[in-house]
Amino acid sequence: MSVELISVLIAVVAVGATLAGLILSGQRAIRVELATQRQEFSERFTALEQQIAELRERMAHLEGLLDGLREAIAIRQGAA
């Protein structure tokens, strides 16, 4: 093997190793960012679920009040 061929092979291996390092570094950064986004979305969905549960309770309360109002009106009309 000639010196030129060895130097080209070393250059190719060095470029390959550098590219591999850059790719792995980028993948690590993306993985961390995705984990952060998943946690943020999980917190948002949990907050939405709590708000929906609160709205269900409030709607049930209003439904009970309306049922009571209907009964009061029906009793009043029946007595009149």
Side-chain angles (χ1 to χ4, degrees):
M1 290 174 90
S2 68
V3 175
E4 289 135 0
L5 180 60
I6 293 174
S7 64
V8 169
L9 288 176
I10 290 173
V12 168
V13 169
V15 168
T18 303
L19 286 175
L22 289 172
I23 289 170
L24 292 175
S25 172
Q27 286 180 343
R28 186 179 311 120
I30 290 172
R31 196 174 302 130
V32 168
E33 186 176 337
L34 282 175
T36 303
Q37 290 294 324
R38 284 182 185 153
Q39 182 179 4
E40 184 179 332
F41 282 128
S42 176
E43 291 170 1
R44 285 184 180 184
F45 283 131
T46 301
L48 283 173
E49 288 172 347
Q50 290 174 351
Q51 289 175 355
I52 290 171
E54 181 182 327
L55 286 173
R56 282 184 186 150
E57 291 176 11
R58 291 171 67 185
M59 286 176 54
H61 178 70
L62 289 174
E63 186 179 4
L65 291 175
L66 286 174
D67 287 342
L69 182 61
R70 277 192 212 116
E71 289 177 14
I73 291 171
I75 291 172
R76 195 176 294 165
Q77 286 177 352

